[in-house]
Every structure is written in C-alpha cells, then in structure tokens.
Amino acid sequence: MRLKVLTLNVAHGAPFAVPLPFLRGRSALLGTLDRVAALLAREGADVVALQEADRSSLFSGRVDQVARIAEQAGYPHVHHGVHSGVPGLFAQGTALLCRHPLESRDTAHFGRDRRVDKGYVVATLAGEHGPEVVSLHLDPFSAAVRRRQVDQLIHALRQRPRRPRVVMGDFNAEDADGPVDRLCAALGLHTPTEGEPTYPVPDARQRLDQVLVSHALRFTRYARLPDAVSDHHAVVAELALQPSTATS
C-alpha cells in the first residue's frame, strides 16, 4: 500500500488582509478557495486534512467552503465535522477529503474547554486494511487545554479497530513534550524529527502543522509546500506500508 496525504489550515478562506470571510468580496473569497483547490489538484494526494474549513453560514460569506474546495480539486468523498456551530451563523470545523470512500466516520469538538472551532474528524479508508485518517485542530492558547484535548483524542482512537493510522493537522504547538510527543507515545506514532516551520506565512517560524503515522507505515517523502494560499503552509507526506505489516 502506498498513500499520499496532505494537511492544510485554510483559515476560513480569509488568511491575510481581511481575517473574516464575511467581510471579503465574494470573488476574492472564491479566488482564495480556488487557489487552495488548485494546490490540492496539483499535488494529487489520496487524502487531504483541512482545518478552519467551513460550511455555508453568515460567517463563511454564505459559501460552502468545503464543498467548493472538494469540487474544484476533484475529491468526491468528504467528511466534515462542525466544531463550532450556530445554525445560519457558524459552521466551522475540520474536514477530510478523499478520492476513495470513507467508512466508520466520527467527529468530536473540544467545546468543553473553549467555544472555538477546535476538534477532529476521523474515518477509515474503505478496504480490509484501509488506514484510519484523522484531521485534528488543537487549542492555540493553552498547553493544559491541548493536553486535555489530546487525551480525549487518544481515548477515542483506542476504542476503534486497530489499523494503520495517520493523524495530521494543526497542533498549535512545537514545544518539547507537547501534543505531538504525547500522541506518539500513547498511540505508537512517529514523524520526522526535522521539518520546516509552517506558520505564519510568508515568514514561517513555527512548525505547527505535522503528519504523524503508525509504525506500520514509513515515510518516503515529507515536505512543506511553498504555496502561500493561507497563513499556514501545507505539509505533504508519501507513505508506504512496512513489509508484512497490516495493523498498527
């Protein structure tokens, strides 16, 4: 099995001069979303994880941002989780876009900690040994809150059938003994120790966006993409199943 994955925080389609999508002109908002879609189409990943990706609402400029990106980039299978939602006003969350059917879908928000759009979605690629994929967004303000959120994710994933696993997203931390180390230790994941900073664009200083995988998988490529389509850089990884390995 070979798998290409990509993760990107799309910043609600309004990452730079106007950080609120409903204040942007419709053509400018759609232009940003279409540049994101063009990047995804060019890279051709099997699975894409998006953070700060919205369904149609007042906040999103009445644009279903997830559907727009998926349609323009050619992804027929979408799993979106609303982590901060008020009907008609907000529909913010994370998403998985996939070229293959997604099964065993689930979503959770971290609302008990903060009323913000933080949480995760998880699904399994169809097939006997289809890997489990997660799009995750953690709290940007508090290490203690991030620990609680990571512990919630660990507990949830341990209840699911054992499969090769890919956890990717915006971890909002690069500190030692932070969420990445905690997830790797608890779930048997790994990621390249060296990686370029991903935030903020254009002068990135922090490595907030990462891809973690089970030891059943090995990296054959891991790279930060240079494109400035958001205030985060996208990260892409190419993966292969380790010989004689079917579970994580």
Side-chain angles (χ1 to χ4, degrees), residues 8 17 32 56 118 120 124 131 147 171 245:
L8 174 64
T32 297
S56 180
K118 303 299 178 283
Y120 66 88
T124 300
R147 282 194 296 273
F171 294 84
T245 303

Side-chain angles (χ1 to χ4, degrees), residues 119-162:
Y120 66 88
V121 290
V122 57
T124 300
L125 273 65
E128 183 180 359
H129 299 303
E132 181 179 84
V133 289
V134 179
S135 177
L136 172 67
H137 196 187
L138 297 178
D139 183 84
F141 304 114
S142 166
V145 169
R146 285 192 293 273
R147 282 194 296 273
R148 289 198 296 271
Q149 293 174 344
V150 165
D151 288 346
Q152 182 176 332
L153 174 63
I154 291 168
H155 176 76
L157 294 185
R158 282 175 170 167
Q159 312 310 306
R160 296 171 61 89
R162 291 174 62 86

Side-chain angles (χ1 to χ4, degrees), residues 26 35 42 70 72 94 213 225 231 236-237:
R26 185 175 179 84
R35 285 191 290 276
R42 182 196 76 205
Q72 294 292 316
T94 58
V213 304
L225 301 180
D231 57 352
V236 64

Side-chain angles (χ1 to χ4, degrees), residues 98-115:
C98 193
R99 300 195 184 279
H100 316 288
L102 292 167
E103 302 175 342
S104 302
R105 304 180 182 199
D106 200 3
T107 181
H109 65 85
F110 300 128
R112 76 177 180 137
D113 285 317
R114 297 183 188 277
R115 290 296 302 165

